Amino acid sequence: MKRYISLLLCVGILLSAAGCSTGAGSGAGGDSVIDGSGAVLVAPENPGAIKIASVYAVAVPFITALGLTGQVSAINVKSKFWTDADSALAGAGTVGRGTVDMEALASFAPGVLIHRSNDPATVDAVAGKLGIPVLCITVENYEDINYTLVMMGKYFGREERAQQVCSWLSGKFEMISEIVDLIPPGERVRALMMGGELGRIAGGEMIQSWMIEKAGGICTASGIENNRNWANVGEETIFEWNPDVIFATSSTPLNYTVQALMRDPAWSAMAAIKNQAVYIVPAGIDSWDMPGISSALGTMYMLHCMYPSYFSAEQLQSEIDEYYMFMFGKTFSSEYLGYDLAN
Amino acid sequence: MIWRIRMDKRTPGKNNKYAYMLVSFAIMLAAGIVAAVCMGKYSVTPLESLRILLGLRDGSSEMTINVVMRLRIPRILASVMVGAALSVSGAVYQGVFRNPLVSPDYLGITSGASVGAAIGILLSLNTAFISLFAFAGGIAAMLLAMSLPVLLRNNSNIMLVMSGVIVGAAMSSVLGFIKYLADPESQLASIIYWTMGSFSYVSSRELLVIAPIVLLPMAVLFGMSWWIDVLSMGENDARALGANVSFVRSLALGCATLLTSASVCIAGTIGWIGLIIPHVGRLLAGPANRRLLPLAALAGGLFMLMADTITRTISVSEMPVGILTGALGVPFYCWLLYKQRETLL
Amino acid sequence: MIYEIKDLCFSYPTSEKPVLSRLNLNVGECDIVAILGRNGTGKSTLLNCMLGLLKPQSGSILLSGKDIKEMNERQIASVTGYVPQTYIASFGYSVIDYVLMGCASRIGLFSKPGKSERQDAQAALSELRIEDLADKPYTEISGGERQKAAIARAIVSSPKVVLFDEPTAHLDYGSQLLVLRIIKELSQKGYSVVITTHNPDHALLLGGKAALMDENGSLITGSVDQVITQENLSRIYQADVRLEYIKSVNRKACVYSNL
C-alpha cells in the first residue's frame, strides 16, 4: 500500500512539473534554455554571480519574483514602486528606456541582457558586437507568464523559486475558476478593457481580455483579432456592444477620466455608465493589468468588480496583501498603490 | 520652379454654369451627410437614423439617439468642416505662392501642430488639451516661418518658402525627439496614430469651439478671394497693380493657417486633400478664387466625409483617415498629372 | 507734369556702386519717353522706382505733383499702369479676369470687380481689339496677344501714365511692330508712356523723348533726335552703330555696321 501511494505521489509530482514546464529546457541536456524568441541559450555556470541588465520594463516583475534584484546592474523601471519595494533596484543604473544604449551597456558589461522578443536587431547587435547574451522574453498571456518564469528560473538557477511562483499563480487562478463556476450563466456580465483613448480597446488576443474571461466576464472584444495589440474600434462599436462593465487600463496614461466619462451625455445610455461600473484597474504605480505576475491580482480585481457578492472587497484586500508579502516580503497601503476598494 | 498649368479645354464656366455646379455639390454634400448619418457599426436602420435626425425620436432608445446625435453627427460635421478647411487652405496657399504643388503644410504648420499634440500626449493630458497644444503648435510654426523673413529683411515669396522648409524640418526633428522620449509601449503608438489623422475622438464641445475658428477665416478668405488672384500675379506685379502685398499676403496666409491648425488639432494630420481638391476645383470652375474657394470647400467637405465614413464602417478596427486620403489621393494625383502632362512645363 | 524726378540715387543693399546716380527725368502729359541703355545700367531699376516698388536712397520722385514716398500702392496704381516684361502664368485665368486685375486700385479688400469694372475691362479689350479673347485662358493665347492683354490691364483704370518694361523683348518682328503701334496710339489718346528698351530703333519709331542711361547711372535726356546720335550710341553700347536716313520710309534708322 505504501509502495502504491509513493508511486502515485511520484507520478503526481512528475505531472505537476510537466504542467508548469512547457519546453523551457527540454532536450538540451538541462544546461540550455529556449528563450521567448525561440533562441537556445546556454545557462551560465555560476548564475548567481552574473550581472543582469534590461531596458524592458515588463521583465522587472519576473526579476523581482525570482529574487534576482541583487544581481541587477542596470534596469528600466516603469515607476518608483519597484525601487521603493526593493532597495536593490534603487542602486541600479540604466542602459536605456525601451531601446538599448550600446555604449552604456558595454560599460556596465552585464552577464546577460533581458529583452523583449520582437527586436532581433538589438539581439544581433548586443550579442554580435558586444558578446553579451540576450535572453528574450515574451509575455502576452498566462502560458507565456508560466513559460517565462520557468525558463528564467532554469537560466538563473532559481528553479525552485520559479516553481513556487508558478504554483502560487496556478493556485490563484484555480481559486478564481472555482468562484466563477458558482456564478449562474444568467448573472454573467459583459465587459471590456478600454485603452488610453476612448474607442481603443484590448483585442481578443490580449491578456486583458483573457483576464476578463477568467474572471467570469463575457469579453465583448473577444472577436477582435488585432495581433495582440490595442484595437481602435471606435466609440460606435463600443456603443453597439453596450458592456455592463468597462475596465480602463492602468498600464498606459489615459486621456480621459472616469468622472468625465460618467458625465458625458453621449455615453449616458450605456449599461456600464448606468450601472456606475467603470473601473480603472489598479494600481497606478504597479499596473495589475500588465502581462505579468500581478495579472492574478488584476483578474481578482475584475472578479470583485463584476461579482462583488461572490468575491468581496475584504477577500480581495486579503489577496492583495498576500501577493505583496509573497513577492516583496511586505505589504503596501492602498493609498500608496493608488486604489480604493470602497468605490 | 514655377509650374504652368493650363485649364481644361472647357473655358471658365459662365455664371449660371458655375452656379449649377455649386448647387450640385451642395446637394451631393447634403445627401452625403444624410447617408453618413445612416451608416455605422451600431445597428440602427437608415429610417430610424433619419427620424432621429428630424427630431422624431419616440420609439428610439436613448442609446440609439446618443449614437446618432452625439457620436455620428459631431463626427460627420467635423469631417465636412475639416475637408472644407483643408481644401480652401490649400487653394489659398497655391494662389499666394503661385505654385499648384503647394499644400497647406508648406509653412511647417502640420509639423508644428504634430509637435504640439505629441507634447500633449507625452504629458498625458486629456484630449481637449492635446487639441489645444496642437493648435498652438501650428500657430507657433506659422509665426516662426513668417518672422524669419522679417528678421532677414527679405519678405519675398521664396524667402517665405525657405522659412517654411526650415521650420518644417526643425519641427520634424523635435517630433522625432518627442517620439524618442515617449513610452514605446503606449504613448508612441498614440503619437503615431494621431499623426495619421482620425476623427475618432471628436466631441461636440470641441466642434463648437473649433467651428468659429474655421468658419470665420473661411468667410474672410471668401471675401478677399479676388485679391488672392491678384497676389498670384507675383509680388512686383501685384504691388504695381495696387495691392498692399505684405498685408494681403499676411491676412490670407494667416487665415489659411488658422484653417489648417484648427483642422489638425481636431483630426490630426490628414494629407493630400489640400493638394488635390483645389486641382479638382480648377478643372471644374477655373482658377479664379472667387469661384474656386466655395467649390473647393464643398468638394473637400464631401471627399473627407466619404473618406471618414469608409474608415469607420469598412472594418472592425478604424483605419486612420489620413491613410485612406493618401491611398485615394496618390492615384488621383497621378491621373491629374497624366491629364495635364503636355501642359506642365 | 506727370513725373518729376530730381537727383535720384539708388543702390542695392548688396552693391557698393550706385545703380542710379543723381538722375533727373521729367515726363509730361502725352509724352512718350524711351529709356535706353546697356544691360545692367538700371533701366528696370528706374522703372521700379517710378512705380514705387523700390525706395531710392536720395532724391525725389513727384508723381502728379505728389511725392511718391508719401503715396501707398493703391494711390500710385490709380495714376500709373504697368506692363511687365514677362509674366509667367501659374494659373490659366481668363483674359477678362486678367484685365480686371488692373482695377485693383479701386477695389476694396472684401470686394470684387463689379459691373462698372467689367464694362471698363471690355472697353479696354475692345481698344486693343482683342475682345474675342475675353473668355480664353491667358495661357492659351499667343505672345502678341498676351502683350495686348497686359496693355489692356494697364489701361483699364484710365491711368495718366503707362510704364512698359521692355515690351517687345520676347515678341516676333511683326508683334513688335504691333505693340509699338499700340504704344504710339496710347500717346495719341492722351496717355503718357514710358518704355524701357534695348532697341534704339524702337525709340526712333516712337519719336517723342529719349533718355540714355550711361554706366555711371545718370541719364542723357532730350528729344529722340537730340539723344539718339551715332556718337552717343557708339559710346554707350561700345559698338559701331550707324544712324542712317532711309528715304523709302522717311526716317532715320539704327543699323549695325558689319560684324
Coordinates of all heavy atoms in Angstrom, one line a residue, chain A residues 56 78 97-99 197-198 200 224 226 231-237 239-240 242 252-255 265-266 268-270 274, chain B residues 40-43 62-63 66-67 70-72 124-127 180-181 183-187 190 193 200-201 312 316-318:
Chain A
Y56 N 13.7 46.5 -20.7 CA 12.3 46.1 -20.9 C 11.6 46.1 -19.6 O 11.9 45.2 -18.7 CB 12.4 44.7 -21.5 CG 11.1 44.2 -22.1 CD1 10.1 45.0 -22.6 CD2 10.8 42.8 -22.0 CE1 8.9 44.6 -23.0 CE2 9.6 42.3 -22.5 CZ 8.6 43.2 -23.0 OH 7.5 42.7 -23.5
K78 N 9.2 51.1 -14.7 CA 8.1 52.0 -15.1 C 7.8 53.0 -14.1 O 7.3 54.1 -14.4 CB 6.9 51.2 -15.5 CG 6.7 50.9 -16.9 CD 5.3 50.6 -17.3 CE 5.2 50.5 -18.8 NZ 4.5 51.3 -19.5
R97 N 15.8 53.3 -22.1 CA 14.3 53.0 -21.8 C 13.7 52.5 -23.1 O 13.4 53.2 -24.0 CB 13.6 54.3 -21.4 CG 13.9 54.9 -20.1 CD 13.2 56.2 -19.8 NE 11.8 56.1 -20.0 CZ 11.1 56.7 -21.0 NH1 11.7 57.5 -21.8 NH2 9.8 56.6 -21.1
G98 N 13.5 51.2 -23.1 CA 12.9 50.7 -24.3 C 13.9 50.3 -25.4 O 13.9 49.2 -25.9
T99 N 14.8 51.2 -25.7 CA 15.9 50.9 -26.6 C 17.3 50.9 -25.9 O 17.4 51.7 -25.0 CB 16.0 52.0 -27.8 OG1 16.0 53.3 -27.2 CG2 14.8 51.9 -28.7
E197 N -7.2 55.7 -25.0 CA -8.1 56.7 -25.6 C -9.5 56.0 -25.7 O -9.6 54.8 -25.8 CB -7.7 57.0 -27.0 CG -6.5 58.0 -27.0 CD -5.2 57.2 -27.4 OE1 -5.3 56.1 -28.0 OE2 -4.2 57.8 -27.2
L198 N -10.5 56.8 -25.6 CA -11.9 56.2 -25.8 C -12.0 55.6 -27.2 O -11.5 56.2 -28.2 CB -12.9 57.3 -25.6 CG -13.1 57.9 -24.2 CD1 -14.1 59.0 -24.2 CD2 -13.5 56.8 -23.2
R200 N -10.4 52.9 -28.1 CA -9.3 51.9 -28.2 C -9.5 50.9 -27.1 O -9.6 51.2 -26.0 CB -8.0 52.7 -28.0 CG -6.8 51.8 -28.4 CD -5.5 52.6 -28.0 NE -5.2 53.7 -28.9 CZ -4.5 53.5 -30.1 NH1 -4.1 52.3 -30.4 NH2 -4.3 54.5 -30.8
I224 N -12.3 40.4 -31.6 CA -11.4 41.3 -32.3 C -10.0 40.8 -32.3 O -9.3 40.5 -31.3 CB -11.3 42.7 -31.5 CG1 -12.7 43.2 -31.3 CG2 -10.4 43.7 -32.2 CD1 -13.4 43.6 -32.6
N226 N -6.4 41.5 -33.4 CA -5.5 42.6 -33.7 C -4.1 42.4 -33.4 O -3.3 43.3 -33.0 CB -6.0 43.9 -32.9 CG -5.6 45.2 -33.6 OD1 -5.8 45.3 -34.8 ND2 -5.1 46.1 -32.9
A231 N -6.8 47.7 -30.1 CA -7.5 47.9 -31.3 C -8.4 49.2 -31.3 O -9.0 49.4 -30.3 CB -8.4 46.7 -31.5
N232 N -8.3 49.9 -32.3 CA -9.1 51.2 -32.4 C -10.4 50.9 -33.0 O -10.6 51.1 -34.2 CB -8.3 52.2 -33.2 CG -8.5 53.6 -32.6 OD1 -8.1 53.8 -31.5 ND2 -9.1 54.4 -33.4
V233 N -11.4 50.4 -32.2 CA -12.7 50.0 -32.9 C -13.6 51.2 -33.0 O -14.6 51.1 -33.6 CB -13.3 48.9 -32.1 CG1 -12.5 47.6 -32.1 CG2 -13.6 49.3 -30.6
G234 N -13.3 52.3 -32.3 CA -14.2 53.4 -32.4 C -15.3 53.4 -31.3 O -15.7 52.3 -30.8
E235 N -15.9 54.5 -30.9 CA -16.9 54.5 -29.9 C -18.1 53.8 -30.3 O -18.8 53.2 -29.5 CB -17.1 56.0 -29.5 CG -15.9 56.6 -28.8 CD -16.2 58.1 -28.5 OE1 -17.3 58.5 -28.3 OE2 -15.2 58.9 -28.5
E236 N -18.5 53.9 -31.6 CA -19.7 53.4 -32.0 C -19.8 51.9 -31.8 O -20.8 51.3 -31.4 CB -20.0 53.7 -33.5 CG -21.4 53.8 -33.8 CD -21.7 54.4 -35.2 OE1 -21.3 55.5 -35.4 OE2 -22.3 53.7 -36.0
T237 N -18.7 51.2 -32.0 CA -18.7 49.8 -31.8 C -18.9 49.5 -30.3 O -19.6 48.5 -30.0 CB -17.3 49.2 -32.2 OG1 -17.2 49.5 -33.6 CG2 -17.2 47.7 -32.0
F239 N -20.6 51.3 -28.3 CA -22.0 51.5 -28.0 C -22.8 50.3 -28.5 O -23.8 49.9 -27.9 CB -22.4 52.7 -28.8 CG -22.2 54.0 -28.1 CD1 -20.9 54.3 -27.6 CD2 -23.2 54.9 -27.9 CE1 -20.7 55.5 -27.0 CE2 -23.0 56.1 -27.2 CZ -21.7 56.4 -26.8
E240 N -22.4 49.7 -29.6 CA -23.1 48.5 -30.1 C -23.0 47.4 -29.1 O -23.9 46.7 -28.9 CB -22.5 48.2 -31.5 CG -22.9 46.9 -32.1 CD -24.3 47.0 -32.7 OE1 -24.9 48.1 -32.8 OE2 -24.9 45.9 -33.1
N242 N -22.4 47.7 -25.9 CA -23.1 48.1 -24.7 C -22.7 47.2 -23.5 O -23.5 46.5 -22.9 CB -24.6 48.0 -24.9 CG -25.4 48.7 -23.8 OD1 -24.8 49.6 -23.1 ND2 -26.7 48.5 -23.6
T252 N -1.1 52.3 -19.1 CA -0.8 53.5 -20.0 C -1.6 54.6 -19.5 O -2.7 54.5 -19.0 CB -1.1 53.1 -21.5 OG1 -0.7 54.2 -22.3 CG2 -2.6 52.8 -21.7
P253 N -1.1 55.9 -19.7 CA -1.8 57.0 -19.2 C -3.1 57.2 -20.0 O -3.2 56.9 -21.2 CB -0.9 58.2 -19.5 CG 0.4 57.6 -19.6 CD 0.3 56.2 -20.1
L254 N -4.2 57.6 -19.4 CA -5.5 57.7 -20.0 C -5.7 59.2 -20.4 O -5.4 60.1 -19.6 CB -6.6 57.3 -19.1 CG -6.6 56.0 -18.4 CD1 -7.7 55.7 -17.5 CD2 -6.5 54.9 -19.5
N255 N -6.2 59.5 -21.6 CA -6.5 60.8 -22.0 C -8.0 61.2 -21.7 O -8.6 62.1 -22.3 CB -6.2 61.1 -23.4 CG -7.1 60.5 -24.4 OD1 -8.0 59.8 -24.0 ND2 -7.0 60.9 -25.7
P265 N -22.8 63.1 -21.8 CA -24.2 62.8 -22.2 C -24.2 61.7 -23.3 O -25.1 60.9 -23.4 CB -24.8 64.1 -22.7 CG -23.8 65.1 -22.4 CD -22.5 64.5 -22.0
A266 N -23.2 61.7 -24.2 CA -23.1 60.7 -25.3 C -23.1 59.3 -24.7 O -23.7 58.4 -25.3 CB -22.0 61.0 -26.2
S268 N -24.3 58.3 -21.7 CA -25.2 58.2 -20.6 C -26.1 57.0 -20.7 O -26.5 56.4 -19.6 CB -26.0 59.4 -20.4 OG -26.8 59.7 -21.6
A269 N -26.4 56.5 -21.9 CA -27.3 55.4 -22.0 C -26.6 54.0 -21.9 O -27.3 53.0 -21.9 CB -28.0 55.5 -23.4
M270 N -25.3 54.1 -21.9 CA -24.6 52.8 -21.8 C -24.8 52.1 -20.5 O -24.8 52.7 -19.4 CB -23.1 53.0 -22.1 CG -22.3 51.7 -22.2 SD -20.7 51.9 -22.9 CE -21.1 52.6 -24.5
K274 N -24.7 53.5 -16.6 CA -25.9 53.5 -15.8 C -25.6 52.7 -14.5 O -26.1 53.0 -13.5 CB -27.1 52.8 -16.5 CG -27.7 53.8 -17.6 CD -28.9 53.1 -18.2 CE -29.6 54.1 -19.2 NZ -30.5 53.4 -20.0
Chain B
G40 N -23.0 53.1 -40.1 CA -22.1 52.9 -38.9 C -22.1 51.5 -38.4 O -23.0 50.7 -38.9
K41 N -21.3 51.2 -37.4 CA -21.3 49.9 -36.9 C -22.4 49.6 -35.9 O -22.6 48.5 -35.6 CB -19.9 49.7 -36.2 CG -18.8 49.5 -37.3 CD -17.4 49.3 -36.6 CE -16.4 50.3 -37.1 NZ -15.2 50.3 -36.3
Y42 N -23.0 50.7 -35.4 CA -24.1 50.5 -34.4 C -25.3 50.1 -35.2 O -25.6 50.7 -36.3 CB -24.3 51.7 -33.6 CG -25.3 51.6 -32.6 CD1 -25.0 51.1 -31.3 CD2 -26.7 52.0 -32.8 CE1 -25.9 51.0 -30.3 CE2 -27.6 51.9 -31.8 CZ -27.3 51.4 -30.6 OH -28.2 51.2 -29.6
S43 N -26.1 49.1 -34.8 CA -27.2 48.7 -35.5 C -28.4 49.6 -35.4 O -29.1 49.6 -34.4 CB -27.6 47.3 -35.1 OG -26.6 46.4 -35.2
E62 N -32.6 55.5 -25.9 CA -31.7 56.6 -25.6 C -30.3 56.3 -26.2 O -29.6 57.2 -26.7 CB -31.5 56.7 -24.0 CG -30.8 57.9 -23.6 CD -30.6 57.9 -22.1 OE1 -31.2 57.1 -21.4 OE2 -29.8 58.7 -21.6
M63 N -29.9 55.0 -26.2 CA -28.6 54.7 -26.7 C -28.5 55.0 -28.2 O -27.5 55.6 -28.7 CB -28.3 53.2 -26.5 CG -27.0 52.8 -27.0 SD -25.6 53.2 -26.0 CE -25.4 51.7 -25.1
N66 N -28.3 58.7 -28.8 CA -27.0 59.1 -28.5 C -26.0 58.8 -29.6 O -25.1 59.6 -30.0 CB -26.4 58.5 -27.2 CG -27.0 59.2 -25.9 OD1 -27.6 60.3 -26.1 ND2 -26.9 58.6 -24.8
V67 N -26.1 57.6 -30.1 CA -25.2 57.2 -31.2 C -25.4 58.2 -32.4 O -24.4 58.7 -33.0 CB -25.5 55.8 -31.7 CG1 -24.8 55.5 -33.0 CG2 -24.9 54.8 -30.6
R70 N -25.0 62.2 -30.9 CA -23.8 62.6 -30.1 C -22.5 61.9 -30.7 O -21.4 62.4 -30.4 CB -24.0 62.2 -28.7 CG -25.1 63.0 -28.0 CD -24.9 63.1 -26.5 NE -25.5 64.3 -26.0 CZ -26.6 64.3 -25.3 NH1 -27.3 63.2 -25.0 NH2 -27.2 65.5 -24.9
L71 N -22.6 60.8 -31.4 CA -21.4 60.2 -32.0 C -21.3 60.6 -33.5 O -20.3 61.1 -33.9 CB -21.4 58.7 -31.8 CG -21.1 58.1 -30.5 CD1 -20.9 56.6 -30.6 CD2 -19.9 58.8 -29.9
R72 N -22.4 60.3 -34.2 CA -22.2 60.4 -35.7 C -22.3 61.8 -36.1 O -21.5 62.3 -36.9 CB -23.4 59.6 -36.4 CG -23.2 58.1 -36.2 CD -24.2 57.3 -37.0 NE -24.1 55.9 -36.7 CZ -24.9 55.0 -37.2 NH1 -25.9 55.3 -38.0 NH2 -24.7 53.7 -36.9
S124 N 0.7 63.3 -21.0 CA -0.5 62.5 -20.5 C -1.7 63.4 -20.3 O -2.5 63.3 -19.3 CB -0.2 61.7 -19.2 OG 0.9 60.9 -19.4
L125 N -1.9 64.4 -21.1 CA -3.0 65.4 -21.0 C -4.2 64.7 -21.6 O -4.1 63.8 -22.4 CB -2.7 66.7 -21.7 CG -1.5 67.4 -21.1 CD1 -1.2 68.7 -21.9 CD2 -1.7 67.8 -19.7
N126 N -5.4 65.3 -21.3 CA -6.6 64.8 -21.9 C -6.8 65.3 -23.4 O -6.0 66.2 -23.8 CB -7.9 65.1 -21.1 CG -8.2 66.5 -21.0 OD1 -7.9 67.3 -21.9 ND2 -8.7 67.0 -19.9
T127 N -7.8 64.8 -24.1 CA -8.0 65.1 -25.5 C -8.1 66.6 -25.8 O -7.5 67.1 -26.7 CB -9.2 64.4 -26.0 OG1 -9.3 63.1 -25.4 CG2 -9.2 64.3 -27.5
Y180 N 11.1 59.7 -29.4 CA 12.2 59.0 -28.7 C 11.9 59.0 -27.2 O 12.2 58.0 -26.5 CB 13.5 59.7 -29.0 CG 14.7 59.2 -28.1 CD1 15.2 57.9 -28.2 CD2 15.2 60.0 -27.1 CE1 16.2 57.5 -27.4 CE2 16.2 59.6 -26.3 CZ 16.7 58.3 -26.4 OH 17.7 57.9 -25.6
L181 N 11.4 60.1 -26.6 CA 11.2 60.2 -25.2 C 9.9 59.4 -24.8 O 9.8 59.0 -23.6 CB 11.0 61.7 -24.8 CG 12.2 62.6 -24.8 CD1 11.8 64.0 -24.5 CD2 13.3 62.1 -23.9
D183 N 6.9 56.8 -24.1 CA 6.9 55.4 -23.7 C 6.6 54.5 -24.9 O 5.5 54.7 -25.5 CB 5.8 55.2 -22.6 CG 5.7 53.8 -22.1 OD1 6.2 52.8 -22.8 OD2 5.1 53.6 -21.1
P184 N 7.5 53.6 -25.3 CA 7.3 52.9 -26.6 C 6.1 52.0 -26.5 O 5.6 51.6 -27.5 CB 8.6 52.1 -26.8 CG 9.2 52.1 -25.4 CD 8.8 53.3 -24.7
E185 N 5.7 51.6 -25.3 CA 4.6 50.7 -25.2 C 3.2 51.3 -25.2 O 2.2 50.7 -25.2 CB 4.7 49.8 -23.9 CG 5.8 48.7 -24.1 CD 6.6 48.5 -22.9 OE1 5.9 48.4 -21.8 OE2 7.8 48.3 -22.9
S186 N 3.1 52.7 -25.1 CA 1.8 53.3 -25.0 C 1.8 54.6 -25.8 O 1.1 54.8 -26.8 CB 1.3 53.5 -23.6 OG 2.3 54.2 -22.9
Q187 N 2.6 55.6 -25.3 CA 2.5 56.9 -25.9 C 2.9 57.0 -27.3 O 2.4 57.7 -28.1 CB 3.4 57.9 -25.0 CG 2.9 58.0 -23.6 CD 3.8 58.9 -22.7 OE1 5.0 58.8 -22.9 NE2 3.3 59.6 -21.8
S190 N 0.2 56.2 -29.6 CA -0.8 57.3 -29.6 C -0.3 58.4 -30.5 O -1.1 59.0 -31.3 CB -1.0 57.8 -28.2 OG -1.6 56.8 -27.4
Y193 N -0.5 57.3 -34.1 CA -1.9 57.2 -34.6 C -2.4 58.6 -34.8 O -3.1 58.9 -35.8 CB -2.7 56.5 -33.5 CG -4.1 56.2 -34.0 CD1 -4.3 55.0 -34.8 CD2 -5.2 57.0 -33.8 CE1 -5.6 54.7 -35.3 CE2 -6.4 56.7 -34.3 CZ -6.6 55.5 -35.0 OH -7.9 55.2 -35.5
S200 N -11.9 59.9 -34.8 CA -12.5 59.1 -33.7 C -12.8 59.8 -32.5 O -13.8 59.4 -31.8 CB -11.5 58.0 -33.4 OG -11.2 57.2 -34.5
Y201 N -12.0 60.8 -32.1 CA -12.2 61.4 -30.8 C -12.8 62.8 -30.8 O -12.7 63.5 -29.8 CB -10.8 61.4 -30.1 CG -10.1 60.1 -30.2 CD1 -8.8 60.0 -30.9 CD2 -10.6 58.9 -29.7 CE1 -8.2 58.7 -31.0 CE2 -10.0 57.7 -29.8 CZ -8.8 57.6 -30.4 OH -8.2 56.4 -30.5
R312 N -14.7 54.4 -40.9 CA -15.4 54.0 -39.7 C -16.4 52.9 -39.9 O -17.0 52.4 -38.9 CB -16.1 55.2 -39.0 CG -17.2 55.8 -39.7 CD -17.8 57.0 -38.9 NE -18.8 57.7 -39.6 CZ -20.1 57.3 -39.7 NH1 -20.6 56.3 -39.0 NH2 -21.0 58.0 -40.4
V316 N -13.5 46.3 -38.6 CA -13.7 46.4 -37.2 C -12.8 47.5 -36.5 O -13.2 48.3 -35.7 CB -13.4 45.0 -36.5 CG1 -13.5 45.1 -35.0 CG2 -14.4 44.0 -37.1
S317 N -11.5 47.4 -36.9 CA -10.6 48.5 -36.4 C -10.6 49.6 -37.4 O -10.5 49.5 -38.6 CB -9.2 47.9 -36.4 OG -8.9 47.5 -35.1
E318 N -10.8 50.8 -36.8 CA -10.8 52.0 -37.7 C -9.4 52.4 -38.2 O -8.5 52.6 -37.4 CB -11.3 53.2 -36.9 CG -12.8 53.2 -36.6 CD -13.3 54.5 -36.1 OE1 -12.6 55.5 -36.2 OE2 -14.4 54.5 -35.5

